[in-house]
Amino acid sequence: MKAVDRALAEAARSLAPGSDTARLDSELLMAEALGIDRDRLLLSPPDRPVPDRFWTMVERRKGGEPVAYITGRRAFWDIELHVGPGVLIPRPDSETLISAALAHFERRPPPGRILDLGTGPGTLLLAALDLWREATGLGVDASRRALSYAAANARRLGLDERTEWRLGDWAVGIEDCFDLILCNPPYVATEAALGSGVAEHEPAEALFAGPQGLDDYRRIAPQIARLLCPGGLAAIEIGADQERSAASIFRAQGLEPEVARDFGDRPRALLIEVNHK
Ligand SMILES: C[S@@+](CC[C@H](N)C(=O)[O-])C[C@H]1O[C@@H](n2cnc3c(N)ncnc32)[C@H](O)[C@@H]1O
């Protein structure tokens, strides 16, 4: 057995008590330590010594630190984003918004202007700009740290000429209309229990939204109708148990949200179109 395979098995065993994804975690950390991607690690594990760095990273993971903060990166849709403490780690659930947008614009001309409210490290906007190569976009966040990650990610992905970043409070002060609005606001109830390491390591302002997790929907809902261009789509992420409660907030604004389900078949986004008369 190669040293790398032995180390992977040993690390996965030692991570298992604290992580549901111990084998995956150790593969991602090993790939990072060896400077190769995970596919390459799995298809042809290199026959070389295991760098000490690997064991340092395993120790950090045992302490509960998210893998993406240890490696400094996370894949999302077709792009890779750099992330670190102070910025939300992109989740696969949020890819529901991108797939809903793709389905919407299959039947229409591609979006020209895209708005990402609460952009974090640029997750949704950069994935969308990578798909629609003629589009330009605006990413808004209340966190300076998040915006500095977003701007650096845009530069690294060669998308910076089509992006603008704004420190702001949702869409306050934004007058333009957009063909696509993407928004993954904080939606966790203040008292909710989260997966291990999440509340300890990820920024509270990216996660929590009042006692029912609905406070930010109440702020965002009144802004959607004026921000959407004719034929446009707003895709707003929700918690799996917020289908009714979040939808009713948007309905109270005269909007008619539909629900998109994630890859696990749970409600994950409200999709809103506006028919301007
Ligand atoms: C759940 S995270 C989403 C990050 C990223 N869009 C993603 O999907 O990975 C929510 C983001 O909203 C930002 N945020 C919180 N309150 C805000 C506000 N009032 N205005 C703008 N952004 C806000 C947070 O800083 C955080 O980056």
Side-chain angles (χ1 to χ4, degrees):
M1 199 191 230
K2 291 176 186 167
V4 164
D5 290 322
R6 264 199 314 276
L8 278 173
E10 189 183 329
R13 256 195 317 275
S14 74
L15 290 174
S19 170
D20 296 339
T21 53
R23 176 73 199 191
L24 173 65
D25 295 355
S26 49
E27 288 167 3
L28 290 167
L29 297 177
M30 180 66 84
E32 180 67 21
L34 293 170
I36 59 177
D37 65 31
R38 180 169 162 255
D39 288 347
R40 157 97 202 280
L41 173 69
L42 297 182
L43 290 174
S44 54
D47 199 358
R48 57 174 148 125
V50 174
D52 290 344
R53 204 171 147 237
F54 173 66
W55 295 111
T56 310
M57 292 193 291
V58 169
E59 283 308 308
R60 285 173 66 184
R61 181 70 191 123
K62 274 196 219 162
E65 203 175 334
V67 171
Y69 284 172
I70 300 171
T71 62
R73 56 184 103 209
R74 178 62 155 251
F76 182 81
W77 200 259
D78 285 341
I79 59 174
E80 186 179 73
L81 293 153
H82 284 195
V83 293
V87 71
L88 190 97
I89 300 166
R91 307 293 206 270
D93 290 341
S94 306
E95 294 185 347
T96 310
L97 278 65
I98 301 293
S99 62
L102 271 172
H104 177 87
F105 288 104
E106 241 170 36
R107 298 170 267 132
R108 296 178 179 78
R113 287 284 292 152
I114 303 174
L115 174 65
D116 181 7
L117 293 173
T119 192
T123 313
L124 295 164
L125 181 58
L126 295 175
L129 291 177
D130 182 63
L131 283 171
W132 290 291
R133 307 299 296 190
E134 303 298 317
T136 59
L138 170 63
V140 179
D141 207 287
S143 154
R144 263 180 219 284
R145 191 160 177 76
L147 288 176
S148 74
Y149 273 99
N153 278 321
R155 278 194 298 280
R156 215 177 25 79
L157 292 164
L159 299 171
D160 50 331
E161 292 197 348
R162 294 191 285 128
T163 54
E164 192 193 326
W165 307 105
R166 188 176 302 183
L167 186 68
D169 179 15
W170 300 126
V172 173
I174 298 176
E175 306 287 341
D176 313 348
C177 81
F178 296 84
D179 304 303
L180 175 60
I181 300 171
L182 299 162
C183 177
N184 174 16
Y187 57 73
V188 178
T190 326
E191 300 295 326
L194 289 173
S196 85
V198 175
E200 294 83 351
H201 291 275
E202 296 192 67
E205 65 275 18
L207 296 168
F208 298 107
Q212 298 142 322
L214 297 170
D215 286 7
D216 286 297
Y217 298 122
R218 295 195 179 97
R219 306 267 333 277
I220 293 161
Q223 306 177 359
I224 293 299
R226 71 174 169 82
L227 291 168
L228 261 187
C229 299
L233 175 77
I236 298 160
E237 184 161 331
I238 56 171
D241 59 351
Q242 291 174 325
E243 178 177 357
R244 282 156 159 263
S245 52
S248 74
I249 293 170
F250 288 84
R251 264 194 232 103
Q253 297 296 323
L255 303 167
E256 294 170 13
E258 287 187 10
V259 173
R261 305 181 82 81
D262 62 23
F263 304 116
D265 202 29
R266 294 160 303 195
R268 186 56 63 193
L270 299 180
L271 306 181
I272 298 166
E273 299 177 36
V274 176
N275 295 315
H276 294 269
K277 302 259 159 52

PDB file of all heavy atoms in Angstrom, residues 104-121:
ATOM      1  N   HIS A 104     -34.967  29.016 -16.512  1.00  0.00           N
ATOM      2  CA  HIS A 104     -35.757  30.197 -16.882  1.00  0.00           C
ATOM      3  C   HIS A 104     -35.248  30.806 -18.195  1.00  0.00           C
ATOM      4  O   HIS A 104     -36.033  31.129 -19.082  1.00  0.00           O
ATOM      5  CB  HIS A 104     -35.670  31.226 -15.756  1.00  0.00           C
ATOM      6  CG  HIS A 104     -36.382  32.514 -16.023  1.00  0.00           C
ATOM      7  ND1 HIS A 104     -37.718  32.694 -15.734  1.00  0.00           N
ATOM      8  CD2 HIS A 104     -35.960  33.687 -16.563  1.00  0.00           C
ATOM      9  CE1 HIS A 104     -38.081  33.916 -16.075  1.00  0.00           C
ATOM     10  NE2 HIS A 104     -37.034  34.546 -16.574  1.00  0.00           N
ATOM     11  N   PHE A 105     -33.924  30.960 -18.321  1.00  0.00           N
ATOM     12  CA  PHE A 105     -33.385  31.659 -19.492  1.00  0.00           C
ATOM     13  C   PHE A 105     -33.185  30.739 -20.698  1.00  0.00           C
ATOM     14  O   PHE A 105     -32.815  31.203 -21.754  1.00  0.00           O
ATOM     15  CB  PHE A 105     -32.096  32.408 -19.118  1.00  0.00           C
ATOM     16  CG  PHE A 105     -32.398  33.620 -18.271  1.00  0.00           C
ATOM     17  CD1 PHE A 105     -32.169  33.605 -16.905  1.00  0.00           C
ATOM     18  CD2 PHE A 105     -32.962  34.758 -18.841  1.00  0.00           C
ATOM     19  CE1 PHE A 105     -32.489  34.700 -16.118  1.00  0.00           C
ATOM     20  CE2 PHE A 105     -33.288  35.863 -18.055  1.00  0.00           C
ATOM     21  CZ  PHE A 105     -33.046  35.838 -16.697  1.00  0.00           C
ATOM     22  N   GLU A 106     -33.458  29.444 -20.535  1.00  0.00           N
ATOM     23  CA  GLU A 106     -33.471  28.549 -21.698  1.00  0.00           C
ATOM     24  C   GLU A 106     -34.515  29.005 -22.713  1.00  0.00           C
ATOM     25  O   GLU A 106     -34.363  28.848 -23.909  1.00  0.00           O
ATOM     26  CB  GLU A 106     -33.866  27.144 -21.232  1.00  0.00           C
ATOM     27  CG  GLU A 106     -32.810  26.103 -21.491  1.00  0.00           C
ATOM     28  CD  GLU A 106     -33.164  24.810 -20.788  1.00  0.00           C
ATOM     29  OE1 GLU A 106     -34.359  24.451 -20.712  1.00  0.00           O
ATOM     30  OE2 GLU A 106     -32.214  24.179 -20.288  1.00  0.00           O
ATOM     31  N   ARG A 107     -35.617  29.571 -22.183  1.00  0.00           N
ATOM     32  CA  ARG A 107     -36.756  29.952 -23.030  1.00  0.00           C
ATOM     33  C   ARG A 107     -36.696  31.416 -23.436  1.00  0.00           C
ATOM     34  O   ARG A 107     -37.620  31.928 -24.029  1.00  0.00           O
ATOM     35  CB  ARG A 107     -38.066  29.713 -22.262  1.00  0.00           C
ATOM     36  CG  ARG A 107     -38.306  28.286 -21.879  1.00  0.00           C
ATOM     37  CD  ARG A 107     -39.482  28.178 -20.908  1.00  0.00           C
ATOM     38  NE  ARG A 107     -39.055  28.207 -19.510  1.00  0.00           N
ATOM     39  CZ  ARG A 107     -39.608  28.964 -18.573  1.00  0.00           C
ATOM     40  NH1 ARG A 107     -40.574  29.792 -18.847  1.00  0.00           N
ATOM     41  NH2 ARG A 107     -39.158  28.898 -17.326  1.00  0.00           N
ATOM     42  N   ARG A 108     -35.648  32.139 -23.055  1.00  0.00           N
ATOM     43  CA  ARG A 108     -35.591  33.594 -23.270  1.00  0.00           C
ATOM     44  C   ARG A 108     -34.181  34.009 -23.651  1.00  0.00           C
ATOM     45  O   ARG A 108     -33.243  33.232 -23.484  1.00  0.00           O
ATOM     46  CB  ARG A 108     -35.938  34.326 -21.974  1.00  0.00           C
ATOM     47  CG  ARG A 108     -37.335  34.106 -21.498  1.00  0.00           C
ATOM     48  CD  ARG A 108     -37.556  34.845 -20.190  1.00  0.00           C
ATOM     49  NE  ARG A 108     -38.923  34.654 -19.738  1.00  0.00           N
ATOM     50  CZ  ARG A 108     -39.368  33.576 -19.144  1.00  0.00           C
ATOM     51  NH1 ARG A 108     -38.558  32.573 -18.905  1.00  0.00           N
ATOM     52  NH2 ARG A 108     -40.628  33.478 -18.779  1.00  0.00           N
ATOM     53  N   PRO A 109     -34.032  35.276 -24.096  1.00  0.00           N
ATOM     54  CA  PRO A 109     -32.663  35.770 -24.318  1.00  0.00           C
ATOM     55  C   PRO A 109     -31.894  35.741 -22.996  1.00  0.00           C
ATOM     56  O   PRO A 109     -32.501  35.885 -21.925  1.00  0.00           O
ATOM     57  CB  PRO A 109     -32.865  37.223 -24.782  1.00  0.00           C
ATOM     58  CG  PRO A 109     -34.301  37.338 -25.149  1.00  0.00           C
ATOM     59  CD  PRO A 109     -35.061  36.281 -24.410  1.00  0.00           C
ATOM     60  N   PRO A 110     -30.584  35.539 -23.041  1.00  0.00           N
ATOM     61  CA  PRO A 110     -29.817  35.429 -21.790  1.00  0.00           C
ATOM     62  C   PRO A 110     -29.874  36.724 -20.971  1.00  0.00           C
ATOM     63  O   PRO A 110     -30.082  37.801 -21.534  1.00  0.00           O
ATOM     64  CB  PRO A 110     -28.376  35.172 -22.269  1.00  0.00           C
ATOM     65  CG  PRO A 110     -28.363  35.526 -23.707  1.00  0.00           C
ATOM     66  CD  PRO A 110     -29.757  35.433 -24.224  1.00  0.00           C
ATOM     67  N   PRO A 111     -29.680  36.632 -19.666  1.00  0.00           N
ATOM     68  CA  PRO A 111     -29.729  37.847 -18.835  1.00  0.00           C
ATOM     69  C   PRO A 111     -28.556  38.768 -19.150  1.00  0.00           C
ATOM     70  O   PRO A 111     -27.436  38.309 -19.354  1.00  0.00           O
ATOM     71  CB  PRO A 111     -29.600  37.298 -17.405  1.00  0.00           C
ATOM     72  CG  PRO A 111     -28.913  35.977 -17.554  1.00  0.00           C
ATOM     73  CD  PRO A 111     -29.330  35.431 -18.879  1.00  0.00           C
ATOM     74  N   GLY A 112     -28.847  40.078 -19.190  1.00  0.00           N
ATOM     75  CA  GLY A 112     -27.789  41.055 -19.443  1.00  0.00           C
ATOM     76  C   GLY A 112     -27.240  41.631 -18.150  1.00  0.00           C
ATOM     77  O   GLY A 112     -26.045  41.820 -17.979  1.00  0.00           O
ATOM     78  N   ARG A 113     -28.164  41.889 -17.192  1.00  0.00           N
ATOM     79  CA  ARG A 113     -27.764  42.488 -15.911  1.00  0.00           C
ATOM     80  C   ARG A 113     -28.179  41.565 -14.764  1.00  0.00           C
ATOM     81  O   ARG A 113     -29.333  41.140 -14.684  1.00  0.00           O
ATOM     82  CB  ARG A 113     -28.449  43.850 -15.727  1.00  0.00           C
ATOM     83  CG  ARG A 113     -27.873  44.922 -16.599  1.00  0.00           C
ATOM     84  CD  ARG A 113     -26.528  45.430 -16.089  1.00  0.00           C
ATOM     85  NE  ARG A 113     -26.594  46.175 -14.845  1.00  0.00           N
ATOM     86  CZ  ARG A 113     -25.588  46.244 -13.969  1.00  0.00           C
ATOM     87  NH1 ARG A 113     -24.463  45.591 -14.176  1.00  0.00           N
ATOM     88  NH2 ARG A 113     -25.713  46.960 -12.869  1.00  0.00           N
ATOM     89  N   ILE A 114     -27.237  41.295 -13.896  1.00  0.00           N
ATOM     90  CA  ILE A 114     -27.480  40.350 -12.796  1.00  0.00           C
ATOM     91  C   ILE A 114     -27.151  41.031 -11.459  1.00  0.00           C
ATOM     92  O   ILE A 114     -26.125  41.717 -11.347  1.00  0.00           O
ATOM     93  CB  ILE A 114     -26.600  39.080 -12.965  1.00  0.00           C
ATOM     94  CG1 ILE A 114     -26.887  38.435 -14.335  1.00  0.00           C
ATOM     95  CG2 ILE A 114     -26.830  38.090 -11.825  1.00  0.00           C
ATOM     96  CD1 ILE A 114     -25.984  37.264 -14.681  1.00  0.00           C
ATOM     97  N   LEU A 115     -28.021  40.821 -10.494  1.00  0.00           N
ATOM     98  CA  LEU A 115     -27.819  41.377  -9.150  1.00  0.00           C
ATOM     99  C   LEU A 115     -27.710  40.221  -8.159  1.00  0.00           C
ATOM    100  O   LEU A 115     -28.519  39.296  -8.197  1.00  0.00           O
ATOM    101  CB  LEU A 115     -29.029  42.256  -8.777  1.00  0.00           C
ATOM    102  CG  LEU A 115     -29.081  42.828  -7.361  1.00  0.00           C
ATOM    103  CD1 LEU A 115     -27.940  43.805  -7.113  1.00  0.00           C
ATOM    104  CD2 LEU A 115     -30.430  43.519  -7.114  1.00  0.00           C
ATOM    105  N   ASP A 116     -26.706  40.276  -7.292  1.00  0.00           N
ATOM    106  CA  ASP A 116     -26.564  39.253  -6.244  1.00  0.00           C
ATOM    107  C   ASP A 116     -26.607  39.964  -4.890  1.00  0.00           C
ATOM    108  O   ASP A 116     -25.685  40.705  -4.544  1.00  0.00           O
ATOM    109  CB  ASP A 116     -25.237  38.505  -6.442  1.00  0.00           C
ATOM    110  CG  ASP A 116     -25.012  37.408  -5.409  1.00  0.00           C
ATOM    111  OD1 ASP A 116     -25.930  37.118  -4.611  1.00  0.00           O
ATOM    112  OD2 ASP A 116     -23.902  36.824  -5.410  1.00  0.00           O
ATOM    113  N   LEU A 117     -27.689  39.743  -4.168  1.00  0.00           N
ATOM    114  CA  LEU A 117     -27.866  40.403  -2.868  1.00  0.00           C
ATOM    115  C   LEU A 117     -27.331  39.497  -1.757  1.00  0.00           C
ATOM    116  O   LEU A 117     -27.802  38.367  -1.604  1.00  0.00           O
ATOM    117  CB  LEU A 117     -29.351  40.696  -2.639  1.00  0.00           C
ATOM    118  CG  LEU A 117     -29.974  41.740  -3.574  1.00  0.00           C
ATOM    119  CD1 LEU A 117     -31.481  41.819  -3.379  1.00  0.00           C
ATOM    120  CD2 LEU A 117     -29.334  43.118  -3.370  1.00  0.00           C
ATOM    121  N   GLY A 118     -26.357  39.985  -1.009  1.00  0.00           N
ATOM    122  CA  GLY A 118     -25.700  39.169   0.019  1.00  0.00           C
ATOM    123  C   GLY A 118     -24.731  38.212  -0.651  1.00  0.00           C
ATOM    124  O   GLY A 118     -24.761  37.005  -0.444  1.00  0.00           O
ATOM    125  N   THR A 119     -23.822  38.789  -1.415  1.00  0.00           N
ATOM    126  CA  THR A 119     -22.999  37.992  -2.343  1.00  0.00           C
ATOM    127  C   THR A 119     -21.953  37.121  -1.656  1.00  0.00           C
ATOM    128  O   THR A 119     -21.472  36.146  -2.225  1.00  0.00           O
ATOM    129  CB  THR A 119     -22.350  38.926  -3.389  1.00  0.00           C
ATOM    130  OG1 THR A 119     -21.780  38.165  -4.435  1.00  0.00           O
ATOM    131  CG2 THR A 119     -21.277  39.820  -2.775  1.00  0.00           C
ATOM    132  N   GLY A 120     -21.582  37.449  -0.396  1.00  0.00           N
ATOM    133  CA  GLY A 120     -20.539  36.649   0.280  1.00  0.00           C
ATOM    134  C   GLY A 120     -19.256  36.705  -0.542  1.00  0.00           C
ATOM    135  O   GLY A 120     -18.825  37.777  -0.989  1.00  0.00           O
ATOM    136  N   PRO A 121     -18.633  35.551  -0.808  1.00  0.00           N
ATOM    137  CA  PRO A 121     -17.399  35.567  -1.604  1.00  0.00           C
ATOM    138  C   PRO A 121     -17.663  35.693  -3.109  1.00  0.00           C
ATOM    139  O   PRO A 121     -16.790  35.372  -3.912  1.00  0.00           O
ATOM    140  CB  PRO A 121     -16.758  34.222  -1.259  1.00  0.00           C
ATOM    141  CG  PRO A 121     -17.903  33.332  -0.925  1.00  0.00           C
ATOM    142  CD  PRO A 121     -18.968  34.202  -0.292  1.00  0.00           C
TER     143      PRO A 121
END
